[in-house]
Structures are given as C-alpha cells and as structure tokens.
Amino acid sequence: MNEERTADKGKPLTAVVAEAITEIIDPDSTDAIPGVEDERCQASRAQLKPQSGPQPPWPLLLLGTLCILIGGVVIPRVVSLLMGVGAVFTGQLSVYSIATRVLFVMLVACVVATVVMLVVMGVRLILNRRRGARLTAEGTIALLIADLTLSIMLYGMSFDLAAFALGGFVLVAMLTYIDPSLSEERELQRKLRDMNVRDDVESGKLGRDKSGKGYIRLDFFNLFWIFVLASFLGDMVETVYHVAVVDPGVYQDRAGLLFGPFSPIYGFGATLMTIALNRFHNAHIIVVFLVSAVIGGAFEYFASWFLQFAFGVCAWDYSGTFLSIGGRTNFMFMCFWGILGVLWVKLLLPVMLSIVNLIPWKWRYTITSVAAVLYIADGVMTLVALDCWYGRLAGKPADNALAQFCADYFNDEWMSERFQSMSIDPSNSTRAS
C-alpha cells in the first residue's frame, strides 16, 4: 500500500486531475467502492458477453440510422457556418469585435466536430461496436456542452438551446443501453455498495475514498453537496466581508442566483479544488496554496469573462489593483483563493463530509435528485432572467412569452435589487445579435 501511495504521489497533476474527472463522469468505470471489488465482481465481469458482433439488434440500427440522418440534416447549416468563417478571414464581419469573431470560429469548429462525432457514433452503432459508440457518445456530450456555452456567449438565451440540452440528455440516457455491460457492472457494484454502506455509516467512513488515492469519493453525491454548501458559505462570507471591510455597515446582497443565498462561483471553485487536490490532502501547504491560487484565479477570470461576453455583466472589477489581470482577478484575490484552498483541503473538507453524511443514507439519493433538479432550475432561470434583462437594456422588445414573463416578474428594478453587485452594459458583450 505504501508503495502504491508513493507511486501515486509521483504522478503529474494533469494525470491526477484526468483520473479524478473520469471518476466523476463514470465512477463505476473504475470502482464503485474502491478496495471492495472481490472475486464475485471479477467473475461477473468475466461472464459479460462481448459487445460487438455482426448482427446488431434493431434498436441499435434505429439509433445509428437516426444519428447519421441527424448529422446529414444539419450539414447545410454546417456549410453556412463554414462560409461564415470565410467571411471572418476576409474582413466581411469586421463590424464585430475580434473576440466575437474568435468565439464564432470556435463555435463553428465545435459544431463541425459534433456532427462528425454524431455520424461516427451512428456508424459504430450500426456495426454493433458498442464500446466505441459509448466513447464517441461521451465525447459528443462534451462537445454539446461547449456548443451550448459558446452559443450563449454569441446569441444569448433562446429556445434553440433546448436542442443542445435535449441532445445531451438523450445521449446520457443512451449510454447504458449502448453498452449493457455497464448496466450489469453497475448493478453488481450497487449490491456491493449496499452490503458495505451500513458498516461505513457505523464507522464514520461513509463517503471516504477507501482506495487511499484521495480523501473522499469523487462521486456525484459528494460533489453536488460540496458545491451547494460552498455556494452558501461563499455567499455568507462575501456578504460579511462587504459589510465589514468594503463598505462598513452597508449590507449588499451578494447572491448569484435568482432564489436562495447561493453564489455559484464559490461552489464551482470548491468543486474544482476538491477534484484537483483530493489526492493531495496530505501534501505540503505551499503546494496546496499554489495550486489553489492558480485554479481559483483562472476560474474567477473565466467566470468574469463569460458573464461579460455573454450578458455584458460586470460582477467585479479589479482594475488598478496590484497585478490585476484584465480587472478579472488579481494577486490579492488569487492569494485569497490559495488560502481558501488550504483551509478547504486541510480543515473544511472533513467538516463538509460530516455535514453531508447527516443526510439519512436511505434517503440520500432521493433528496439529492430533488435538490439537483431545483438547483438546476434556479440556475437556468437565472440565465434566462439575465438574458431578458440584457435584452431590455439593449432596447429589444419582449417579443415572446418568456421575455414578457421576465419583464413582469423580474423587471429591471427587481434584478438591480437582487444582483446589487452586478451592472449590465450591452456594449460590453460580444454577441453577434
């Protein structure tokens, strides 16, 4: 065990983060319960039937055909986008900023890659190469997320985005059918988990990484509640900091969502640091500090960049401060992120895990599912309300039911009062429309 830990510590950070991300996307592809896999699990895996053959079942043929047809249908749209890229390089789109044109080229590249991956997945399904189709589906999901993000930054929120979201959900649902062995493995691992969860509860080790690779299990349950708790605590800390330091005695709402005392940037920051530093929970404080400072500063920069480019939002501006990077982050706040990372990994993570484990284990997945749906709905509505706020300030009429709903219930006064630290200037965005 000591040798394994020594070898693990010697891995580069990129390899460690990549393995951690793999565990998040599909925890059961490694070990649903690290260190618990036994002969029964190995025997079951050995009995699994090969997932490729000359005679695929009709559902796979149908899915594969649909993928190829969808790819073929959107080809004209892809061609028009590629022609738009030509216009970028010939100067015909010089009316737009350089940032807008760069984002447009990135969107076109992602859309082309998505179509190619979709066709490849369709071919693999028809040939009954399920493992390859599963990998292609996972890559397509990642590309759809990129398509969604870039589309929001260029064109704002619209009903067209539902196609990206729906495609992602369908692909996730398809994964277990594409590769039935995954379902069988998960069922076996689920039974093993049920056999051991009672012992974990009694010993206080529920949620811990039994393999010794990290402190906690990087599964959806742990990471989701870490995200929620960090969002809540981050909002509380920032509110107190503003009252005590920035503008003594003056309260300012620092929430980042329409409803609830949550600041998602801290949730994302805590999640990223947990993923990156989970296996370094015993590392030297300086290492944890430096990695946390870089991750936190990079994420803060990206969040500021996304909000400005997509909605013209200026949520913070550090221009003129020491070692400011475009006003989006600076030396002081990167140090704050570094200190938060040290406190998080060395002190707060065990406390967080204890709080999360207060949720009755029999109800934890039901409660988590309901909470996740509510949080996602809050996040989507926040983006929609910001987009409608942007549209009103840009002089666009409320020409659909959703825009009219936001104008009635989340008008400019309401939004200004809710997001007191934000300001929107449509001229700062990089939208193409």
Side-chain angles (χ1 to χ4, degrees):
M1 178 63 73
N2 291 334
E3 293 179 357
E4 293 178 358
R5 292 187 179 182
T6 301
D8 189 59
K9 289 182 179 179
K11 290 183 179 180
L13 180 59
T14 53
V16 174
V17 173
E19 291 179 11
I21 293 175
T22 301
E23 291 181 358
I24 296 171
I25 296 174
D26 187 7
D28 299 325
S29 66
T30 52
D31 290 321
I33 309 177
V36 176
E37 182 174 346
D38 55 15
E39 294 180 358
R40 291 170 297 173
C41 184
Q42 297 173 3
S44 175
R45 185 175 287 112
Q47 294 173 0
L48 296 177
K49 297 179 180 180
Q51 300 306 322
S52 61
Q55 298 180 345
W58 70 265
L60 283 187
L61 290 174
L62 178 61
L63 289 173
T65 303
L66 284 175
C67 289
I68 295 175
L69 287 177
I70 293 173
V73 168
V74 299
I75 285 179
R77 174 61 176 166
V78 173
V79 172
S80 65
L81 288 174
L82 290 173
M83 293 177 64
V85 172
V88 169
F89 290 104
T90 58
Q92 298 179 30
L93 298 180
S94 58
V95 64
Y96 297 113
S97 67
I98 295 177
T100 301
R101 285 178 277 174
V102 170
L103 289 175
F104 179 75
V105 173
M106 292 172 61
L107 175 60
V108 173
C110 287
V111 170
V112 171
T114 303
V115 173
V116 172
M117 293 284 278
L118 201 61
V119 173
V120 171
M121 184 173 65
V123 172
R124 287 180 170 177
L125 286 173
I126 292 175
L127 296 177
N128 204 20
R129 296 176 180 174
R130 300 192 185 186
R131 292 283 181 176
R134 186 203 73 184
L135 295 175
T136 308
E138 292 173 348
T140 306
I141 291 172
L143 286 170
L144 284 173
I145 294 174
D147 294 336
L148 185 67
T149 302
L150 292 169
S151 295
I152 292 175
M153 296 179 71
L154 282 170
Y155 306 111
M157 300 293 292
S158 67
F159 290 105
D160 294 338
L161 298 178
F164 293 116
L166 180 61
F169 285 123
V170 171
L171 286 174
V172 171
M174 285 171 53
L175 284 178
T176 53
Y177 181 78
I178 289 176
D179 193 350
S181 65
L182 294 177
S183 179
E184 297 177 35
E185 291 182 17
R186 287 189 174 98
E187 182 62 27
L188 176 61
Q189 297 284 8
R190 193 174 297 113
K191 292 179 180 179
L192 292 173
R193 183 188 298 115
D194 292 339
M195 291 169 56
N196 290 272
V197 70
R198 291 182 181 273
D199 294 336
D200 292 341
V201 172
E202 293 176 358
S203 62
K205 295 182 179 180
L206 189 62
R208 293 288 300 274
D209 185 351
K210 298 179 182 178
S211 69
K213 297 177 180 178
Y215 182 79
I216 68 168
R217 280 284 295 154
L218 295 177
D219 54 23
F220 178 79
F221 176 82
N222 281 339
L223 291 174
F224 172 75
W225 287 109
I226 284 173
F227 176 86
V228 172
L229 290 173
S231 297
F232 172 76
L233 291 177
D235 181 63
M236 295 296 101
V237 170
E238 191 168 332
T239 300
V240 171
Y241 178 78
H242 184 274
V243 172
V245 179
V246 178
D247 197 354
V250 178
Y251 171 80
Q252 185 181 66
D253 195 338
R254 308 292 293 185
L257 294 177
L258 282 181
F259 308 105
F262 302 108
S263 183
I265 186 172
Y266 291 98
F268 282 114
T271 303
L272 288 173
M273 284 192 290
T274 301
I275 294 171
L277 301 175
N278 186 43
R279 297 186 180 185
F280 293 90
H281 61 281
N282 288 325
H284 195 280
I285 289 179
I286 295 179
V287 174
V288 177
F289 174 85
L290 292 176
V291 175
S292 301
V294 172
I295 292 176
F299 178 73
E300 188 175 33
Y301 186 97
F302 171 79
S304 172
W305 180 73
F306 173 79
L307 288 173
Q308 178 186 335
F309 282 21
F311 303 105
V313 168
C314 179
W316 57 84
D317 186 2
Y318 306 139
S319 299
T321 59
F322 181 63
L323 291 183
S324 170
I325 304 177
R328 305 185 190 282
T329 189
N330 63 10
F331 178 79
M332 182 181 73
F333 279 95
M334 289 184 71
C335 289
F336 280 171
W337 280 107
I339 294 172
L340 284 174
V342 172
L343 293 175
W344 179 258
V345 173
K346 299 297 184 179
L347 298 176
L348 296 179
L349 193 56
V351 176
M352 289 289 179
L353 188 59
S354 299
I355 294 175
V356 168
N357 285 336
L358 291 177
I359 301 175
W361 68 271
K362 289 184 178 180
W363 296 94
R364 56 174 38 207
Y365 299 111
T366 300
I367 293 175
T368 301
S369 299
V370 173
V373 170
L374 293 175
Y375 202 101
I376 291 172
D378 194 2
V380 172
M381 281 302 302
T382 299
L383 291 176
V384 170
L386 285 174
D387 186 68
C388 291
W389 190 16
Y390 169 94
R392 291 193 297 270
L393 293 178
K396 295 181 180 180
D399 55 359
N400 58 67
L402 188 58
Q404 188 60 52
F405 174 84
C406 290
D408 293 338
Y409 294 96
F410 305 115
N411 55 34
D412 295 352
E413 182 180 357
W414 194 98
M415 294 294 287
S416 297
E417 182 65 22
R418 177 57 176 173
F419 302 106
Q420 296 177 11
S421 63
M422 288 186 184
S423 62
I424 287 185
D425 182 357
S427 64
N428 285 335
S429 74
T430 56
R431 293 195 184 184
S433 63

